[in-house]
Amino acid sequence: MASAPSSSSHGSGGMHLPDDTRELVKILVVGPFGVGKTTLIDSVSEIRPLHTEEQLTEASVAVDDLAGLRDKTTTTVAIDFGRISLAGGIVLYLFGTPGQERFRTLWADIAYGALGALVLVDTRRIDASFEVLGLVEESGLPYAVALNTFPDSRDHSEEELRRALDLEPATPMVRCDARDRNASVDALLALVEHLLTLTPAGGMPSARPEHTLATSPRTESQSR
């Protein structure tokens, strides 16, 4: 079972892998526009994160819904990338993906070779997560859900949230603050521990060919 991060210093900018590395694992960090994917990767990465962000402009007003996101000024246009080493020699490569529909064509390439996905959800905009959850389910990737808390988030019970998101009983769901390193690491650990349960020997599952996206989008009725 995975445990807390190794002694690699957070934010040190060092590029070398720990000497005890035995598993390199590609993980997607996904969720709708403005849910905190970039923030989470920033908070946990032990190397300088890679970002591909651009300023929001008037041209995006018609396609980027800023409802409830009045302080949002940038958007990821390709990927965010970071790395975190866990105790036991597991190293996670974190790929944050854009949350808007117009970037859907990037998903197949980004998802290739991934072993799992951490789906960030904003409980103020639960319906914004349906499309992303549908994409992850289409890809065949195991996933965990992290409820990113915001100051004005409403308090819902776990049962209500699971029902609203239509989650299977075995799908992990945790609360986190993407700005807080410990909370973000705990969310990633929940996903890793879920992945470890999927193989009898307790090792990490291998990437499978079906972990790629279908070419045609699902409707909400198909994916939920």
PDB file of all heavy atoms in Angstrom, residues 29-30 35-37 39-41 43-44 118-123 144-151 153 161 172-190:
ATOM      1  N   VAL A  29      -4.698  14.166 -13.959  1.00  0.00           N
ATOM      2  CA  VAL A  29      -5.432  15.024 -13.027  1.00  0.00           C
ATOM      3  C   VAL A  29      -6.437  15.779 -13.876  1.00  0.00           C
ATOM      4  O   VAL A  29      -6.064  16.619 -14.706  1.00  0.00           O
ATOM      5  CB  VAL A  29      -4.492  15.987 -12.282  1.00  0.00           C
ATOM      6  CG1 VAL A  29      -5.298  16.890 -11.341  1.00  0.00           C
ATOM      7  CG2 VAL A  29      -3.438  15.199 -11.495  1.00  0.00           C
ATOM      8  N   VAL A  30      -7.710  15.444 -13.709  1.00  0.00           N
ATOM      9  CA  VAL A  30      -8.730  15.932 -14.635  1.00  0.00           C
ATOM     10  C   VAL A  30      -9.867  16.601 -13.881  1.00  0.00           C
ATOM     11  O   VAL A  30     -10.004  16.458 -12.662  1.00  0.00           O
ATOM     12  CB  VAL A  30      -9.276  14.781 -15.510  1.00  0.00           C
ATOM     13  CG1 VAL A  30      -8.152  14.082 -16.252  1.00  0.00           C
ATOM     14  CG2 VAL A  30     -10.043  13.760 -14.670  1.00  0.00           C
ATOM     15  N   VAL A  35     -11.459  24.057 -11.926  1.00  0.00           N
ATOM     16  CA  VAL A  35     -11.687  23.260 -10.720  1.00  0.00           C
ATOM     17  C   VAL A  35     -10.460  23.169  -9.815  1.00  0.00           C
ATOM     18  O   VAL A  35     -10.582  22.775  -8.662  1.00  0.00           O
ATOM     19  CB  VAL A  35     -12.166  21.836 -11.112  1.00  0.00           C
ATOM     20  CG1 VAL A  35     -11.008  20.982 -11.603  1.00  0.00           C
ATOM     21  CG2 VAL A  35     -12.911  21.155  -9.964  1.00  0.00           C
ATOM     22  N   GLY A  36      -9.267  23.515 -10.318  1.00  0.00           N
ATOM     23  CA  GLY A  36      -8.082  23.509  -9.463  1.00  0.00           C
ATOM     24  C   GLY A  36      -7.012  22.500  -9.840  1.00  0.00           C
ATOM     25  O   GLY A  36      -6.151  22.179  -9.023  1.00  0.00           O
ATOM     26  N   LYS A  37      -7.013  22.019 -11.076  1.00  0.00           N
ATOM     27  CA  LYS A  37      -6.030  21.021 -11.496  1.00  0.00           C
ATOM     28  C   LYS A  37      -4.609  21.580 -11.449  1.00  0.00           C
ATOM     29  O   LYS A  37      -3.693  20.947 -10.923  1.00  0.00           O
ATOM     30  CB  LYS A  37      -6.364  20.530 -12.903  1.00  0.00           C
ATOM     31  CG  LYS A  37      -7.754  19.926 -13.045  1.00  0.00           C
ATOM     32  CD  LYS A  37      -8.054  19.485 -14.461  1.00  0.00           C
ATOM     33  CE  LYS A  37      -8.166  20.630 -15.427  1.00  0.00           C
ATOM     34  NZ  LYS A  37      -9.383  21.451 -15.216  1.00  0.00           N
ATOM     35  N   THR A  39      -3.543  24.100  -9.745  1.00  0.00           N
ATOM     36  CA  THR A  39      -3.202  24.389  -8.350  1.00  0.00           C
ATOM     37  C   THR A  39      -2.751  23.132  -7.623  1.00  0.00           C
ATOM     38  O   THR A  39      -1.768  23.144  -6.872  1.00  0.00           O
ATOM     39  CB  THR A  39      -4.417  25.002  -7.631  1.00  0.00           C
ATOM     40  OG1 THR A  39      -4.785  26.211  -8.297  1.00  0.00           O
ATOM     41  CG2 THR A  39      -4.099  25.304  -6.175  1.00  0.00           C
ATOM     42  N   LEU A  40      -3.454  22.019  -7.833  1.00  0.00           N
ATOM     43  CA  LEU A  40      -3.084  20.769  -7.160  1.00  0.00           C
ATOM     44  C   LEU A  40      -1.697  20.301  -7.593  1.00  0.00           C
ATOM     45  O   LEU A  40      -0.870  19.922  -6.741  1.00  0.00           O
ATOM     46  CB  LEU A  40      -4.127  19.694  -7.439  1.00  0.00           C
ATOM     47  CG  LEU A  40      -3.911  18.365  -6.712  1.00  0.00           C
ATOM     48  CD1 LEU A  40      -5.240  17.773  -6.230  1.00  0.00           C
ATOM     49  CD2 LEU A  40      -3.177  17.343  -7.577  1.00  0.00           C
ATOM     50  N   ILE A  41      -1.427  20.329  -8.889  1.00  0.00           N
ATOM     51  CA  ILE A  41      -0.110  19.891  -9.358  1.00  0.00           C
ATOM     52  C   ILE A  41       0.980  20.813  -8.813  1.00  0.00           C
ATOM     53  O   ILE A  41       2.053  20.351  -8.399  1.00  0.00           O
ATOM     54  CB  ILE A  41      -0.093  19.812 -10.898  1.00  0.00           C
ATOM     55  CG1 ILE A  41      -0.973  18.645 -11.353  1.00  0.00           C
ATOM     56  CG2 ILE A  41       1.332  19.647 -11.429  1.00  0.00           C
ATOM     57  CD1 ILE A  41      -1.141  18.537 -12.849  1.00  0.00           C
ATOM     58  N   SER A  43       0.939  22.304  -6.006  1.00  0.00           N
ATOM     59  CA  SER A  43       1.091  22.108  -4.561  1.00  0.00           C
ATOM     60  C   SER A  43       1.892  20.868  -4.207  1.00  0.00           C
ATOM     61  O   SER A  43       2.490  20.810  -3.132  1.00  0.00           O
ATOM     62  CB  SER A  43      -0.290  22.051  -3.889  1.00  0.00           C
ATOM     63  OG  SER A  43      -0.947  20.819  -4.159  1.00  0.00           O
ATOM     64  N   VAL A  44       1.935  19.871  -5.108  1.00  0.00           N
ATOM     65  CA  VAL A  44       2.597  18.611  -4.746  1.00  0.00           C
ATOM     66  C   VAL A  44       3.884  18.338  -5.505  1.00  0.00           C
ATOM     67  O   VAL A  44       4.688  17.508  -5.071  1.00  0.00           O
ATOM     68  CB  VAL A  44       1.654  17.396  -4.952  1.00  0.00           C
ATOM     69  CG1 VAL A  44       0.390  17.556  -4.129  1.00  0.00           C
ATOM     70  CG2 VAL A  44       1.316  17.177  -6.428  1.00  0.00           C
ATOM     71  N   LEU A 118      -7.242  11.124 -11.307  1.00  0.00           N
ATOM     72  CA  LEU A 118      -7.822  11.814 -10.159  1.00  0.00           C
ATOM     73  C   LEU A 118      -8.754  12.874 -10.724  1.00  0.00           C
ATOM     74  O   LEU A 118      -8.320  13.795 -11.412  1.00  0.00           O
ATOM     75  CB  LEU A 118      -6.736  12.466  -9.295  1.00  0.00           C
ATOM     76  CG  LEU A 118      -7.248  13.164  -8.034  1.00  0.00           C
ATOM     77  CD1 LEU A 118      -7.812  12.149  -7.040  1.00  0.00           C
ATOM     78  CD2 LEU A 118      -6.133  13.983  -7.376  1.00  0.00           C
ATOM     79  N   VAL A 119     -10.056  12.720 -10.441  1.00  0.00           N
ATOM     80  CA  VAL A 119     -11.064  13.637 -10.970  1.00  0.00           C
ATOM     81  C   VAL A 119     -11.389  14.678  -9.907  1.00  0.00           C
ATOM     82  O   VAL A 119     -11.925  14.345  -8.844  1.00  0.00           O
ATOM     83  CB  VAL A 119     -12.344  12.881 -11.376  1.00  0.00           C
ATOM     84  CG1 VAL A 119     -13.364  13.854 -11.955  1.00  0.00           C
ATOM     85  CG2 VAL A 119     -12.029  11.775 -12.384  1.00  0.00           C
ATOM     86  N   LEU A 120     -11.067  15.943 -10.173  1.00  0.00           N
ATOM     87  CA  LEU A 120     -11.405  17.017  -9.253  1.00  0.00           C
ATOM     88  C   LEU A 120     -12.818  17.501  -9.527  1.00  0.00           C
ATOM     89  O   LEU A 120     -13.208  17.685 -10.687  1.00  0.00           O
ATOM     90  CB  LEU A 120     -10.426  18.184  -9.387  1.00  0.00           C
ATOM     91  CG  LEU A 120      -9.217  18.163  -8.439  1.00  0.00           C
ATOM     92  CD1 LEU A 120      -8.332  16.965  -8.729  1.00  0.00           C
ATOM     93  CD2 LEU A 120      -8.414  19.455  -8.541  1.00  0.00           C
ATOM     94  N   VAL A 121     -13.565  17.711  -8.458  1.00  0.00           N
ATOM     95  CA  VAL A 121     -14.961  18.148  -8.551  1.00  0.00           C
ATOM     96  C   VAL A 121     -15.154  19.385  -7.685  1.00  0.00           C
ATOM     97  O   VAL A 121     -14.670  19.440  -6.549  1.00  0.00           O
ATOM     98  CB  VAL A 121     -15.917  17.020  -8.096  1.00  0.00           C
ATOM     99  CG1 VAL A 121     -17.347  17.532  -7.974  1.00  0.00           C
ATOM    100  CG2 VAL A 121     -15.853  15.832  -9.057  1.00  0.00           C
ATOM    101  N   ASP A 122     -15.848  20.366  -8.221  1.00  0.00           N
ATOM    102  CA  ASP A 122     -16.256  21.561  -7.487  1.00  0.00           C
ATOM    103  C   ASP A 122     -17.716  21.356  -7.082  1.00  0.00           C
ATOM    104  O   ASP A 122     -18.597  21.299  -7.949  1.00  0.00           O
ATOM    105  CB  ASP A 122     -16.101  22.788  -8.382  1.00  0.00           C
ATOM    106  CG  ASP A 122     -16.475  24.101  -7.693  1.00  0.00           C
ATOM    107  OD1 ASP A 122     -17.067  24.059  -6.595  1.00  0.00           O
ATOM    108  OD2 ASP A 122     -16.191  25.163  -8.281  1.00  0.00           O
ATOM    109  N   THR A 123     -17.985  21.219  -5.791  1.00  0.00           N
ATOM    110  CA  THR A 123     -19.345  20.903  -5.355  1.00  0.00           C
ATOM    111  C   THR A 123     -20.321  22.054  -5.592  1.00  0.00           C
ATOM    112  O   THR A 123     -21.534  21.863  -5.476  1.00  0.00           O
ATOM    113  CB  THR A 123     -19.376  20.512  -3.867  1.00  0.00           C
ATOM    114  OG1 THR A 123     -18.831  21.576  -3.072  1.00  0.00           O
ATOM    115  CG2 THR A 123     -18.558  19.244  -3.630  1.00  0.00           C
ATOM    116  N   ALA A 144     -10.343   8.042  -8.949  1.00  0.00           N
ATOM    117  CA  ALA A 144     -10.834   8.489  -7.648  1.00  0.00           C
ATOM    118  C   ALA A 144     -11.332   9.913  -7.816  1.00  0.00           C
ATOM    119  O   ALA A 144     -10.873  10.638  -8.704  1.00  0.00           O
ATOM    120  CB  ALA A 144      -9.730   8.435  -6.596  1.00  0.00           C
ATOM    121  N   VAL A 145     -12.259  10.313  -6.957  1.00  0.00           N
ATOM    122  CA  VAL A 145     -12.825  11.653  -7.010  1.00  0.00           C
ATOM    123  C   VAL A 145     -12.323  12.457  -5.816  1.00  0.00           C
ATOM    124  O   VAL A 145     -12.363  11.988  -4.673  1.00  0.00           O
ATOM    125  CB  VAL A 145     -14.373  11.606  -7.004  1.00  0.00           C
ATOM    126  CG1 VAL A 145     -14.963  12.997  -6.806  1.00  0.00           C
ATOM    127  CG2 VAL A 145     -14.883  10.982  -8.293  1.00  0.00           C
ATOM    128  N   ALA A 146     -11.826  13.666  -6.099  1.00  0.00           N
ATOM    129  CA  ALA A 146     -11.396  14.580  -5.048  1.00  0.00           C
ATOM    130  C   ALA A 146     -12.286  15.809  -5.077  1.00  0.00           C
ATOM    131  O   ALA A 146     -12.365  16.503  -6.099  1.00  0.00           O
ATOM    132  CB  ALA A 146      -9.932  14.980  -5.241  1.00  0.00           C
ATOM    133  N   LEU A 147     -12.978  16.065  -3.990  1.00  0.00           N
ATOM    134  CA  LEU A 147     -13.876  17.221  -3.885  1.00  0.00           C
ATOM    135  C   LEU A 147     -13.052  18.412  -3.431  1.00  0.00           C
ATOM    136  O   LEU A 147     -12.679  18.520  -2.259  1.00  0.00           O
ATOM    137  CB  LEU A 147     -14.993  16.918  -2.885  1.00  0.00           C
ATOM    138  CG  LEU A 147     -15.783  15.621  -3.136  1.00  0.00           C
ATOM    139  CD1 LEU A 147     -16.677  15.309  -1.944  1.00  0.00           C
ATOM    140  CD2 LEU A 147     -16.607  15.729  -4.420  1.00  0.00           C
ATOM    141  N   ASN A 148     -12.733  19.307  -4.365  1.00  0.00           N
ATOM    142  CA  ASN A 148     -11.919  20.465  -4.034  1.00  0.00           C
ATOM    143  C   ASN A 148     -12.772  21.495  -3.310  1.00  0.00           C
ATOM    144  O   ASN A 148     -13.792  21.950  -3.834  1.00  0.00           O
ATOM    145  CB  ASN A 148     -11.325  21.070  -5.309  1.00  0.00           C
ATOM    146  CG  ASN A 148     -10.253  22.108  -5.013  1.00  0.00           C
ATOM    147  OD1 ASN A 148      -9.735  22.185  -3.911  1.00  0.00           O
ATOM    148  ND2 ASN A 148      -9.917  22.901  -6.011  1.00  0.00           N
ATOM    149  N   THR A 149     -12.385  21.838  -2.111  1.00  0.00           N
ATOM    150  CA  THR A 149     -13.193  22.732  -1.286  1.00  0.00           C
ATOM    151  C   THR A 149     -12.872  24.197  -1.577  1.00  0.00           C
ATOM    152  O   THR A 149     -11.715  24.578  -1.695  1.00  0.00           O
ATOM    153  CB  THR A 149     -12.967  22.455   0.205  1.00  0.00           C
ATOM    154  OG1 THR A 149     -11.570  22.576   0.505  1.00  0.00           O
ATOM    155  CG2 THR A 149     -13.413  21.045   0.563  1.00  0.00           C
ATOM    156  N   PHE A 150     -13.916  24.988  -1.708  1.00  0.00           N
ATOM    157  CA  PHE A 150     -13.795  26.424  -1.892  1.00  0.00           C
ATOM    158  C   PHE A 150     -14.498  27.110  -0.719  1.00  0.00           C
ATOM    159  O   PHE A 150     -15.351  26.505  -0.053  1.00  0.00           O
ATOM    160  CB  PHE A 150     -14.437  26.846  -3.219  1.00  0.00           C
ATOM    161  CG  PHE A 150     -13.701  26.351  -4.432  1.00  0.00           C
ATOM    162  CD1 PHE A 150     -13.949  25.081  -4.953  1.00  0.00           C
ATOM    163  CD2 PHE A 150     -12.754  27.150  -5.052  1.00  0.00           C
ATOM    164  CE1 PHE A 150     -13.275  24.620  -6.074  1.00  0.00           C
ATOM    165  CE2 PHE A 150     -12.071  26.702  -6.175  1.00  0.00           C
ATOM    166  CZ  PHE A 150     -12.323  25.444  -6.678  1.00  0.00           C
ATOM    167  N   PRO A 151     -14.153  28.376  -0.438  1.00  0.00           N
ATOM    168  CA  PRO A 151     -14.747  29.056   0.728  1.00  0.00           C
ATOM    169  C   PRO A 151     -16.268  29.051   0.744  1.00  0.00           C
ATOM    170  O   PRO A 151     -16.884  28.991   1.810  1.00  0.00           O
ATOM    171  CB  PRO A 151     -14.191  30.488   0.613  1.00  0.00           C
ATOM    172  CG  PRO A 151     -12.890  30.323  -0.116  1.00  0.00           C
ATOM    173  CD  PRO A 151     -13.129  29.214  -1.095  1.00  0.00           C
ATOM    174  N   SER A 153     -18.209  26.730  -0.750  1.00  0.00           N
ATOM    175  CA  SER A 153     -18.762  25.416  -1.083  1.00  0.00           C
ATOM    176  C   SER A 153     -19.873  25.047  -0.106  1.00  0.00           C
ATOM    177  O   SER A 153     -19.754  25.271   1.101  1.00  0.00           O
ATOM    178  CB  SER A 153     -17.674  24.343  -1.026  1.00  0.00           C
ATOM    179  OG  SER A 153     -16.691  24.552  -2.006  1.00  0.00           O
ATOM    180  N   LEU A 161     -23.517  13.322  -2.454  1.00  0.00           N
ATOM    181  CA  LEU A 161     -22.532  13.572  -3.499  1.00  0.00           C
ATOM    182  C   LEU A 161     -22.318  12.344  -4.368  1.00  0.00           C
ATOM    183  O   LEU A 161     -22.219  12.448  -5.599  1.00  0.00           O
ATOM    184  CB  LEU A 161     -21.213  14.019  -2.865  1.00  0.00           C
ATOM    185  CG  LEU A 161     -21.241  15.416  -2.246  1.00  0.00           C
ATOM    186  CD1 LEU A 161     -20.030  15.645  -1.364  1.00  0.00           C
ATOM    187  CD2 LEU A 161     -21.304  16.483  -3.342  1.00  0.00           C
ATOM    188  N   PRO A 172     -13.193   5.570  -4.873  1.00  0.00           N
ATOM    189  CA  PRO A 172     -12.841   6.442  -3.740  1.00  0.00           C
ATOM    190  C   PRO A 172     -13.320   7.873  -3.965  1.00  0.00           C
ATOM    191  O   PRO A 172     -13.282   8.380  -5.090  1.00  0.00           O
ATOM    192  CB  PRO A 172     -11.306   6.383  -3.719  1.00  0.00           C
ATOM    193  CG  PRO A 172     -10.937   5.158  -4.500  1.00  0.00           C
ATOM    194  CD  PRO A 172     -12.010   5.010  -5.541  1.00  0.00           C
ATOM    195  N   MET A 173     -13.776   8.502  -2.890  1.00  0.00           N
ATOM    196  CA  MET A 173     -14.147   9.910  -2.926  1.00  0.00           C
ATOM    197  C   MET A 173     -13.628  10.567  -1.663  1.00  0.00           C
ATOM    198  O   MET A 173     -13.927  10.118  -0.549  1.00  0.00           O
ATOM    199  CB  MET A 173     -15.666  10.084  -3.023  1.00  0.00           C
ATOM    200  CG  MET A 173     -16.086  11.546  -3.233  1.00  0.00           C
ATOM    201  SD  MET A 173     -17.901  11.748  -3.307  1.00  0.00           S
ATOM    202  CE  MET A 173     -18.324  11.512  -1.573  1.00  0.00           C
ATOM    203  N   VAL A 174     -12.805  11.603  -1.826  1.00  0.00           N
ATOM    204  CA  VAL A 174     -12.195  12.287  -0.686  1.00  0.00           C
ATOM    205  C   VAL A 174     -12.389  13.785  -0.848  1.00  0.00           C
ATOM    206  O   VAL A 174     -12.631  14.279  -1.948  1.00  0.00           O
ATOM    207  CB  VAL A 174     -10.688  11.959  -0.570  1.00  0.00           C
ATOM    208  CG1 VAL A 174     -10.465  10.469  -0.349  1.00  0.00           C
ATOM    209  CG2 VAL A 174      -9.929  12.419  -1.818  1.00  0.00           C
ATOM    210  N   ARG A 175     -12.289  14.491   0.246  1.00  0.00           N
ATOM    211  CA  ARG A 175     -12.313  15.949   0.206  1.00  0.00           C
ATOM    212  C   ARG A 175     -10.882  16.467   0.270  1.00  0.00           C
ATOM    213  O   ARG A 175     -10.036  15.893   0.964  1.00  0.00           O
ATOM    214  CB  ARG A 175     -13.122  16.506   1.381  1.00  0.00           C
ATOM    215  CG  ARG A 175     -14.589  16.103   1.338  1.00  0.00           C
ATOM    216  CD  ARG A 175     -15.351  16.677   2.524  1.00  0.00           C
ATOM    217  NE  ARG A 175     -16.708  16.164   2.582  1.00  0.00           N
ATOM    218  CZ  ARG A 175     -17.755  16.729   1.971  1.00  0.00           C
ATOM    219  NH1 ARG A 175     -17.568  17.830   1.260  1.00  0.00           N
ATOM    220  NH2 ARG A 175     -18.959  16.203   2.060  1.00  0.00           N
ATOM    221  N   CYS A 176     -10.604  17.536  -0.453  1.00  0.00           N
ATOM    222  CA  CYS A 176      -9.251  18.095  -0.404  1.00  0.00           C
ATOM    223  C   CYS A 176      -9.300  19.590  -0.681  1.00  0.00           C
ATOM    224  O   CYS A 176     -10.306  20.115  -1.172  1.00  0.00           O
ATOM    225  CB  CYS A 176      -8.323  17.380  -1.400  1.00  0.00           C
ATOM    226  SG  CYS A 176      -8.426  17.972  -3.093  1.00  0.00           S
ATOM    227  N   ASP A 177      -8.222  20.252  -0.333  1.00  0.00           N
ATOM    228  CA  ASP A 177      -8.003  21.644  -0.705  1.00  0.00           C
ATOM    229  C   ASP A 177      -6.789  21.624  -1.619  1.00  0.00           C
ATOM    230  O   ASP A 177      -5.682  21.323  -1.175  1.00  0.00           O
ATOM    231  CB  ASP A 177      -7.740  22.485   0.541  1.00  0.00           C
ATOM    232  CG  ASP A 177      -7.535  23.967   0.224  1.00  0.00           C
ATOM    233  OD1 ASP A 177      -7.190  24.285  -0.930  1.00  0.00           O
ATOM    234  OD2 ASP A 177      -7.699  24.806   1.132  1.00  0.00           O
ATOM    235  N   ALA A 178      -6.969  21.890  -2.904  1.00  0.00           N
ATOM    236  CA  ALA A 178      -5.889  21.759  -3.873  1.00  0.00           C
ATOM    237  C   ALA A 178      -4.710  22.672  -3.564  1.00  0.00           C
ATOM    238  O   ALA A 178      -3.602  22.438  -4.048  1.00  0.00           O
ATOM    239  CB  ALA A 178      -6.416  22.048  -5.285  1.00  0.00           C
ATOM    240  N   ARG A 179      -4.919  23.679  -2.746  1.00  0.00           N
ATOM    241  CA  ARG A 179      -3.816  24.582  -2.382  1.00  0.00           C
ATOM    242  C   ARG A 179      -2.922  23.983  -1.319  1.00  0.00           C
ATOM    243  O   ARG A 179      -1.788  24.435  -1.121  1.00  0.00           O
ATOM    244  CB  ARG A 179      -4.383  25.908  -1.871  1.00  0.00           C
ATOM    245  CG  ARG A 179      -5.262  26.658  -2.862  1.00  0.00           C
ATOM    246  CD  ARG A 179      -6.020  27.776  -2.183  1.00  0.00           C
ATOM    247  NE  ARG A 179      -6.896  27.249  -1.131  1.00  0.00           N
ATOM    248  CZ  ARG A 179      -7.675  27.989  -0.364  1.00  0.00           C
ATOM    249  NH1 ARG A 179      -7.698  29.316  -0.532  1.00  0.00           N
ATOM    250  NH2 ARG A 179      -8.442  27.441   0.560  1.00  0.00           N
ATOM    251  N   ASP A 180      -3.430  22.981  -0.606  1.00  0.00           N
ATOM    252  CA  ASP A 180      -2.722  22.395   0.527  1.00  0.00           C
ATOM    253  C   ASP A 180      -2.002  21.117   0.103  1.00  0.00           C
ATOM    254  O   ASP A 180      -2.634  20.180  -0.374  1.00  0.00           O
ATOM    255  CB  ASP A 180      -3.714  22.100   1.651  1.00  0.00           C
ATOM    256  CG  ASP A 180      -3.035  21.507   2.867  1.00  0.00           C
ATOM    257  OD1 ASP A 180      -2.509  22.283   3.682  1.00  0.00           O
ATOM    258  OD2 ASP A 180      -3.007  20.269   2.985  1.00  0.00           O
ATOM    259  N   ARG A 181      -0.703  21.086   0.274  1.00  0.00           N
ATOM    260  CA  ARG A 181       0.073  19.945  -0.206  1.00  0.00           C
ATOM    261  C   ARG A 181      -0.362  18.653   0.459  1.00  0.00           C
ATOM    262  O   ARG A 181      -0.543  17.627  -0.206  1.00  0.00           O
ATOM    263  CB  ARG A 181       1.573  20.159   0.023  1.00  0.00           C
ATOM    264  CG  ARG A 181       2.419  19.007  -0.548  1.00  0.00           C
ATOM    265  CD  ARG A 181       3.905  19.313  -0.530  1.00  0.00           C
ATOM    266  NE  ARG A 181       4.621  18.344  -1.322  1.00  0.00           N
ATOM    267  CZ  ARG A 181       5.267  17.296  -0.823  1.00  0.00           C
ATOM    268  NH1 ARG A 181       5.273  17.088   0.478  1.00  0.00           N
ATOM    269  NH2 ARG A 181       5.908  16.456  -1.623  1.00  0.00           N
ATOM    270  N   ASN A 182      -0.517  18.655   1.765  1.00  0.00           N
ATOM    271  CA  ASN A 182      -0.883  17.422   2.468  1.00  0.00           C
ATOM    272  C   ASN A 182      -2.227  16.879   1.996  1.00  0.00           C
ATOM    273  O   ASN A 182      -2.389  15.676   1.790  1.00  0.00           O
ATOM    274  CB  ASN A 182      -0.892  17.650   3.977  1.00  0.00           C
ATOM    275  CG  ASN A 182       0.486  17.873   4.549  1.00  0.00           C
ATOM    276  OD1 ASN A 182       1.482  17.393   4.003  1.00  0.00           O
ATOM    277  ND2 ASN A 182       0.576  18.602   5.654  1.00  0.00           N
ATOM    278  N   ALA A 183      -3.198  17.775   1.841  1.00  0.00           N
ATOM    279  CA  ALA A 183      -4.519  17.349   1.404  1.00  0.00           C
ATOM    280  C   ALA A 183      -4.473  16.810  -0.024  1.00  0.00           C
ATOM    281  O   ALA A 183      -5.128  15.819  -0.358  1.00  0.00           O
ATOM    282  CB  ALA A 183      -5.506  18.509   1.500  1.00  0.00           C
ATOM    283  N   SER A 184      -3.685  17.456  -0.884  1.00  0.00           N
ATOM    284  CA  SER A 184      -3.568  17.009  -2.266  1.00  0.00           C
ATOM    285  C   SER A 184      -2.858  15.664  -2.352  1.00  0.00           C
ATOM    286  O   SER A 184      -3.240  14.788  -3.145  1.00  0.00           O
ATOM    287  CB  SER A 184      -2.823  18.060  -3.102  1.00  0.00           C
ATOM    288  OG  SER A 184      -3.543  19.272  -3.147  1.00  0.00           O
ATOM    289  N   VAL A 185      -1.813  15.484  -1.536  1.00  0.00           N
ATOM    290  CA  VAL A 185      -1.116  14.191  -1.496  1.00  0.00           C
ATOM    291  C   VAL A 185      -2.071  13.094  -1.032  1.00  0.00           C
ATOM    292  O   VAL A 185      -2.092  11.986  -1.577  1.00  0.00           O
ATOM    293  CB  VAL A 185       0.122  14.264  -0.580  1.00  0.00           C
ATOM    294  CG1 VAL A 185       0.672  12.857  -0.302  1.00  0.00           C
ATOM    295  CG2 VAL A 185       1.206  15.117  -1.219  1.00  0.00           C
ATOM    296  N   ASP A 186      -2.887  13.395  -0.034  1.00  0.00           N
ATOM    297  CA  ASP A 186      -3.850  12.398   0.459  1.00  0.00           C
ATOM    298  C   ASP A 186      -4.808  11.977  -0.652  1.00  0.00           C
ATOM    299  O   ASP A 186      -5.185  10.804  -0.754  1.00  0.00           O
ATOM    300  CB  ASP A 186      -4.645  12.962   1.640  1.00  0.00           C
ATOM    301  CG  ASP A 186      -3.817  13.014   2.924  1.00  0.00           C
ATOM    302  OD1 ASP A 186      -2.755  12.359   2.984  1.00  0.00           O
ATOM    303  OD2 ASP A 186      -4.245  13.705   3.873  1.00  0.00           O
ATOM    304  N   ALA A 187      -5.223  12.922  -1.482  1.00  0.00           N
ATOM    305  CA  ALA A 187      -6.120  12.590  -2.592  1.00  0.00           C
ATOM    306  C   ALA A 187      -5.424  11.667  -3.588  1.00  0.00           C
ATOM    307  O   ALA A 187      -6.008  10.683  -4.065  1.00  0.00           O
ATOM    308  CB  ALA A 187      -6.592  13.866  -3.280  1.00  0.00           C
ATOM    309  N   LEU A 188      -4.164  11.948  -3.895  1.00  0.00           N
ATOM    310  CA  LEU A 188      -3.405  11.085  -4.805  1.00  0.00           C
ATOM    311  C   LEU A 188      -3.180   9.705  -4.196  1.00  0.00           C
ATOM    312  O   LEU A 188      -3.249   8.684  -4.896  1.00  0.00           O
ATOM    313  CB  LEU A 188      -2.070  11.737  -5.153  1.00  0.00           C
ATOM    314  CG  LEU A 188      -2.155  12.976  -6.058  1.00  0.00           C
ATOM    315  CD1 LEU A 188      -0.833  13.718  -6.081  1.00  0.00           C
ATOM    316  CD2 LEU A 188      -2.567  12.571  -7.475  1.00  0.00           C
ATOM    317  N   LEU A 189      -2.941   9.661  -2.899  1.00  0.00           N
ATOM    318  CA  LEU A 189      -2.759   8.368  -2.225  1.00  0.00           C
ATOM    319  C   LEU A 189      -4.034   7.529  -2.293  1.00  0.00           C
ATOM    320  O   LEU A 189      -3.974   6.310  -2.441  1.00  0.00           O
ATOM    321  CB  LEU A 189      -2.344   8.576  -0.770  1.00  0.00           C
ATOM    322  CG  LEU A 189      -0.900   9.038  -0.534  1.00  0.00           C
ATOM    323  CD1 LEU A 189      -0.689   9.366   0.939  1.00  0.00           C
ATOM    324  CD2 LEU A 189       0.093   7.983  -0.988  1.00  0.00           C
ATOM    325  N   ALA A 190      -5.176   8.189  -2.180  1.00  0.00           N
ATOM    326  CA  ALA A 190      -6.447   7.452  -2.280  1.00  0.00           C
ATOM    327  C   ALA A 190      -6.555   6.785  -3.644  1.00  0.00           C
ATOM    328  O   ALA A 190      -7.022   5.640  -3.757  1.00  0.00           O
ATOM    329  CB  ALA A 190      -7.623   8.397  -2.040  1.00  0.00           C
TER     330      ALA A 190
END
